[in-house]
Amino acid sequence: MAMSSIARRKSTLISRNLCNSTDSLRYTLSLSSFSRYFSSGSDENDVVVIGGGPGGYVAAIKAAQLGFKTTCVEKRGTLGGTCLNVGCIPSKALLHSSHMYHEAKHAFPAHGVKFSSVEVDLPAMMAQKDKAVSNLTKGIEGLFKKNKVNYVKGYGKLVSPSEVSVDTIDGGNTAIRGKHIIIATGSDVKSLPGVTIDEQKIVSSTGALALKEIPKRLVVIGAGYIGLEMGSVWGRIGSEVTVVEFAPEIVPTMDGEVRKQFQRSLEKQGMKFKLKTKVVGVDTTGDGVKLTVEPAAGGEQTILEADVVLVSAGRVPFTAGLGLESLGVEMDKGGRILVNERFATNVPGVYAIGDVIPGPMLAHKAEEDGVACVEFIAGKEGHVDYDLVPGVVYTHPEVASVGKTEEQVKTLGVPYRVGKFPFMANSRAKAIDNAEGLVKILAEKESDKILGVHIMAPNAGELIHEAVLALQYGASSEDIARTCHAHPTMSEAVKEAAMATYDKPIHI
């Protein structure tokens, strides 16, 4: 039977790793350890995971599926981590609900659907969000039971490379031993000097997901993914939103051309931007908040008044209080845990995944880390390609990307071609009157190998995965262009952009 390209790539990785004597020894030891796990009569766990977020719970389930006796420790008391409880899931619930309201108020009449009045029921909107979160957290608990993962609710701390002390949420303490300990504690909100988050007037993303009323004026500090998404939620249902960003551009990791179109789209929706601007003072003594801002390079100060301020300046690894320093676990200046290609720290038996290690702070990246880490522990060969982790901003339109931006390709000095196709020329987009955005493909000039894909569209987060798969298998733009796409669909824009990259599109 022929090997798949991924299998061949993994086989190559194994051979490459085994050529190094140190890695060879580590690999041999992990294989011998794996065989012992099934014959052990000890109560000691094979794997202990600290953290029950996307990386942690996925690692725990995968470990159990591979036959390991596994325990997962989670301090929150509910599984799913920041993503499920106060991040990805509740924000997407509110984004969808607020978009439905915005569509009913502004778009439905053009489709012949009319109401005498449309209003926001904020408590009902929040209840729907909470229901989604509750159902999903219970679902993960069900998966733990199905896979026989032991679940301990409490704050875990390493006291040795093979023991975790847990202060349980019921006030007790228990010790959990494990041959392999995986740190998957995720990340926390990055604070700003002089700006104190009280989750009332000055909120983090957590507080922004639970406001009791719609703020008339919302100031968002930070023009990244989270800030723009939460600004969109409240802007759609009535808030005047102003985004303050220190950098000269929004979402600085985004392709420049797409970024400019994205900002124009958000501005058309009423979002205001103050770029190259820094916050130098905060006054919360009155009913609202007064922010003192000035140009990033220095200059005249002005006052921004708001009912609520959202601090969305990024996230930092959650590694404090885990006992890492006492064990001598190496970390970088940003507080991230340093690991090798098998997610092992410098302390034997201790591993780390997800937001606590270098790389994109994304839930799906953490999940991939979790699976690969456990596969390495099991003597298998895990694989995560950090160059092919897709990113999505879930505004409307959404913006999704994978691979290199045009700016990055230029920096690399690689000769390239660009193919673009606007959704204004896409039949499905025109039929549903939702044709804002484009698909942009970058390909190596000589080989036509795809280097990066960037999509701005209502469902860009779904469309991007055709591109992820194409890059994963080293496809050319012609490969996509010659693949039949159903008509009429939004995905035809990807095909047309690919045609524009290696030859010429049909519909423009």
Side-chain angles (χ1 to χ4, degrees):
M1 181 181 294
M3 295 175 68
S4 71
S5 61
I6 286 183
R8 287 195 299 271
R9 191 154 53 245
K10 289 182 177 179
S11 177
T12 302
L13 282 170
I14 292 173
S15 299
R16 187 185 305 131
N17 286 331
L18 290 180
C19 287
N20 182 287
S21 59
T22 302
D23 283 346
S24 177
L25 177 61
R26 188 187 299 118
Y27 185 78
T28 304
L29 288 172
S30 66
L31 280 173
S32 61
S33 298
F34 180 65
S35 65
R36 291 200 301 270
Y37 297 152
F38 294 97
S39 60
S40 174
S42 170
D43 289 335
E44 183 179 37
N45 292 274
D46 299 314
V47 174
V48 176
V49 182
I50 305 176
Y57 85 73
V58 167
I61 290 172
K62 186 63 179 178
Q65 289 175 343
L66 290 174
F68 291 128
K69 181 179 179 182
T70 306
T71 292
C72 182
V73 180
E74 168 53 50
K75 66 182 176 66
R76 193 184 300 272
T78 55
L79 295 167
T82 295
C83 176
L84 201 162
N85 289 274
V86 290
C88 321
I89 300 304
S91 66
K92 302 315 166 280
L94 289 183
L95 279 161
H96 182 66
S97 296
S98 63
H99 179 64
M100 290 177 71
Y101 167 75
H102 190 269
E103 288 287 281
K105 189 173 182 179
H106 299 285
F108 280 13
H111 294 271
V113 181
K114 297 183 178 181
F115 299 93
S116 57
S117 65
V118 181
E119 62 184 28
V120 174
D121 184 342
L122 189 58
M125 192 177 285
M126 291 295 180
Q128 192 280 331
K129 176 258 298 182
D130 293 339
K131 181 181 178 182
V133 170
S134 176
N135 287 343
L136 287 168
T137 55
K138 291 176 182 175
I140 299 174
E141 286 194 33
L143 290 172
F144 270 18
K145 291 177 182 177
K146 175 184 176 182
N147 290 282
K148 296 181 175 57
V149 175
N150 184 37
Y151 172 29
V152 177
K153 299 179 181 181
Y155 192 102
K157 176 181 179 181
L158 284 158
V159 293
S160 81
S162 59
E163 185 175 339
V164 177
S165 174
V166 182
D167 292 326
T168 59
I169 60 174
D170 60 9
N173 180 272
T174 186
I176 302 173
R177 292 190 58 79
K179 297 183 180 74
H180 302 278
I181 297 174
I182 301 173
I183 302 165
T185 46
S187 58
D188 204 352
V189 174
K190 182 179 181 180
S191 60
L192 289 176
V195 182
T196 302
I197 295 173
D198 59 15
E199 300 297 13
Q200 299 295 323
K201 292 182 181 180
I202 302 179
V203 301
S204 66
S205 55
T206 300
L209 290 166
L211 295 178
K212 297 295 190 294
E213 57 186 40
I214 301 168
K216 182 179 178 182
R217 298 162 301 180
L218 173 69
V219 172
V220 179
I221 303 176
Y225 287 36
I226 298 172
L228 296 180
E229 288 180 5
M230 295 312 305
S232 290
V233 167
W234 295 105
R236 290 170 187 168
I237 59 179
S239 295
E240 297 174 7
V241 179
T242 301
V243 180
V244 178
E245 171 57 53
F246 184 83
E249 303 150 336
I250 68 171
V251 200
T253 57
M254 191 179 288
D255 181 87
E257 181 181 11
V258 176
R259 181 197 306 121
K260 290 176 182 177
Q261 288 200 34
F262 182 38
Q263 183 175 335
R264 286 196 294 268
S265 176
L266 294 175
E267 287 172 337
K268 284 193 297 182
Q269 296 171 37
M271 195 176 288
K272 298 176 182 178
F273 293 91
K274 287 187 173 294
L275 304 177
K276 295 191 286 187
T277 303
K278 62 182 177 181
V279 177
V280 295
V282 180
D283 182 1
T284 60
T285 56
D287 292 336
V289 183
K290 291 183 179 179
L291 290 178
T292 302
V293 300
E294 68 180 31
E300 184 179 352
Q301 295 183 348
T302 56
I303 301 295
L304 284 179
E305 296 189 8
D307 299 291
V308 174
V309 173
L310 165 60
V311 178
S312 183
R315 298 186 66 83
V316 293
F318 185 89
T319 54
L322 298 178
L324 303 180
E325 293 85 355
S326 62
L327 290 185
V329 175
E330 291 182 356
M331 292 183 280
D332 65 14
K333 292 180 180 179
R336 294 178 293 254
I337 299 171
L338 298 178
V339 296
N340 65 13
E341 71 283 353
R342 294 174 178 263
F343 302 94
T345 70
N346 62 305
V347 177
V350 179
Y351 303 78
I353 62 171
D355 286 3
V356 297
I357 67 173
M361 286 185 166
L362 296 169
H364 43 288
K365 177 264 192 186
E367 291 185 11
E368 297 300 315
D369 283 356
V371 171
C373 177
V374 172
E375 288 177 333
F376 282 127
I377 290 172
K380 298 176 180 292
E381 195 67 26
H383 175 70
V384 184
D385 189 338
Y386 295 125
D387 289 331
L388 299 183
V389 176
V392 185
V393 186
Y394 294 93
T395 49
H396 188 87
E398 295 177 351
V399 180
S401 64
V402 64
K404 299 287 190 292
T405 65
E406 187 166 0
E407 291 75 19
Q408 289 172 329
V409 173
K410 286 180 179 178
T411 299
L412 291 171
V414 177
Y416 68 97
R417 290 197 300 263
V418 179
K420 292 177 280 189
F421 191 82
F423 279 93
M424 283 294 293
N426 175 265
S427 300
R428 181 67 181 273
K430 293 292 287 184
I432 64 175
D433 193 26
N434 213 335
E436 186 176 18
L438 79 161
V439 178
K440 178 178 180 178
I441 297 177
L442 302 157
E444 195 172 60
K445 189 173 183 179
E446 184 175 350
S447 68
D448 193 36
K449 180 180 178 181
I450 298 173
L451 301 172
V453 179
H454 309 274
I455 305 174
M456 175 176 156
N459 57 346
E462 303 297 335
L463 294 176
I464 196 64
H465 294 100
E466 176 179 3
V468 177
L469 195 61
L471 267 73
Q472 181 70 60
Y473 282 90
S476 66
S477 66
E478 185 176 358
D479 288 332
I480 291 181
R482 292 190 180 278
T483 300
C484 185
H485 289 61
H487 175 79
T489 60
M490 303 285 276
S491 63
E492 286 179 286
V494 179
K495 174 185 172 75
E496 292 268 10
M499 294 175 71
T501 306
Y502 93 96
D503 189 15
K504 293 180 180 179
I506 297 295
H507 290 98
I508 53 171

